[in-house]
Amino acid sequence: MARKIDIVDGRAALEAVRSADASGVKPQRTDLATAVRYLLQLLDEKAPGNSVEVRVPPFGAVQVIQGPRHTRGTPPNVVEMDAATWIAVSTGTERWADAADGGRIHASGTRADLSDVLPVRP
């Protein structure tokens, strides 16, 4: 299992990403990676399970939501998006439906709608 990101480190990385975005500059890759992984960690804590795989390439992926366990091959329920979209929907600065309707979330499977478990509270 991956090392758990401390709440202080996760919040600091998230703030650094937000600050960079507000200034119109590209966030540091390490801050972006830590923020994404921290928010994935919070999702895993909020909605543990193995039926949906949430991917935010290249930074991380997590299996969440109770239901049938996935063990091999491509999972039947997959959600994938870029880091900026993940940060927006997981913190509540953008609604899941708006990002999905805008084509920035690629979701497949009957359990791939995360609107009931988002936002997480960083």
Side-chain angles (χ1 to χ4, degrees):
M1 179 160 177
R3 177 183 71 86
K4 186 171 178 167
I5 297 169
D6 181 77
I7 189 170
V8 173
D9 295 337
R11 286 181 173 173
L14 190 55
E15 184 54 39
V17 170
R18 287 178 171 158
S19 180
D21 287 343
S23 300
V25 297
K26 189 174 177 179
Q28 294 291 319
R29 183 175 171 83
T30 54
D31 291 334
L32 193 56
T34 300
V36 165
R37 291 177 185 136
Y38 175 64
L39 292 166
L40 286 170
Q41 174 181 298
L42 293 179
L43 177 62
D44 184 43
E45 292 169 1
K46 183 176 184 178
N50 297 334
S51 69
V52 180
E53 185 165 296
V54 180
R55 301 173 181 167
V56 185
F59 301 114
V62 66
Q63 289 190 359
V64 294
I65 312 291
Q66 292 294 325
R69 180 172 177 79
H70 166 72
T71 55
R72 294 183 358 180
T74 301
N77 300 285
V78 177
V79 175
E80 188 169 319
M81 67 198 85
D82 63 33
T85 302
W86 170 242
I87 290 170
V89 298
S90 65
T91 60
T93 58
E94 183 170 11
R95 290 181 48 240
W96 172 270
D98 294 339
D101 290 346
R104 293 186 322 282
I105 296 174
H106 304 284
S108 63
T110 58
R111 298 171 177 264
D113 183 341
L114 300 181
S115 56
D116 288 345
V117 294
L118 293 176
V120 296
R121 296 288 175 224

